[in-house]
Amino acid sequence: MTPSDTALLTIDLQNDFLHTEGAYGRAGQSAEAILALPERIAPLKDALTQAGGCYVSAQFTLVPGRDDEPLIADHLRKLRPFLTKGDFAPGGFGHSLVDTLAPADFTVEKVAYSAFYQTRLEYILRAMKIDTLIIGGIVTNGGVASTVRDAHLRDIHTILLSDGCAAFKEDVHKATLTSLGSITKVMTCAEATAMFGDAT
């Protein structure tokens, strides 16, 4: 693994998930473990990009339909009935990457769990000759797990950040890390950062 062949990929670290004025914040749907992620991942982003790697932000997207009503899957509407017009809409505050990690070298809009599903992520990785992804974000058992598994199917080497991803329940987070351990290397943000030197 060399920095130029490596990308940090974060999943759904957006204002609508993390900011107090975002969709989840307004609905009181947050978790301390999730809110801590940007600060923990930022040193890794800095070290990798300064060493020649790149940073890709995959961002959950609700495509605005007629009258700007978001196109929401039935299962998501049942789980998150508070989602409404403007939430996770491209170009909006809520859809944007959190300030702590901005800007990304590449931004990928995703409409499902996996950052590979119907997105341009694989095109970007092939064009940039990336063969290793360091993955973090939310939630461990959702978008993160789906993306790790999809990368595995594409023969892309992955490193999963054990403390760079989180779920709304700690036991679910830990169980998912154990499950994914058979197809990905798992390490902490500090361990991953150390591979590229100190950006400061």
Side-chain angles (χ1 to χ4, degrees), residues 14-159:
Q14 303 159 249
N15 289 323
D16 263 336
F17 280 122
L18 278 74
H19 198 282
T20 55
E21 297 177 10
Y24 276 59
R26 296 193 309 269
Q29 302 285 319
S30 62
E32 187 175 326
I34 289 173
L35 297 177
L37 295 177
E39 292 286 349
R40 196 173 294 138
I41 293 173
L44 170 58
K45 174 207 168 183
D46 292 343
L48 174 60
T49 55
Q50 290 187 28
C54 70
Y55 172 40
V56 183
S57 173
Q59 294 169 204
F60 179 63
T61 304
L62 290 177
V63 178
R66 186 170 292 168
D67 299 322
D68 289 330
E69 286 292 342
L71 304 180
I72 303 178
D74 288 341
H75 79 278
L76 181 59
R77 190 179 298 277
K78 290 176 183 177
L79 285 172
R80 305 290 185 249
F82 56 83
L83 293 174
T84 187
K85 283 185 181 182
D87 292 341
F88 296 100
F93 166 79
H95 184 264
S96 299
L97 177 65
V98 295
D99 286 345
T100 303
L101 293 171
D105 295 308
F106 299 96
T107 298
V108 174
E109 292 182 8
K110 59 191 269 299
V111 295
Y113 287 123
S114 173
F116 286 96
Y117 180 72
Q118 295 187 352
T119 76
R120 58 186 177 179
L121 176 59
E122 189 166 8
Y123 168 78
I124 291 169
L125 299 181
R126 301 306 180 196
M128 295 295 292
K129 297 180 171 53
I130 300 297
D131 60 21
T132 300
L133 284 177
I134 303 173
I135 301 175
I138 57 173
V139 290
T140 313
N141 55 303
V144 173
S146 296
T147 301
V148 169
R149 293 187 186 282
D150 271 2
H152 176 69
L153 292 174
R154 289 165 170 79
D155 292 324
I156 298 170
H157 177 64
T158 58
I159 296 171

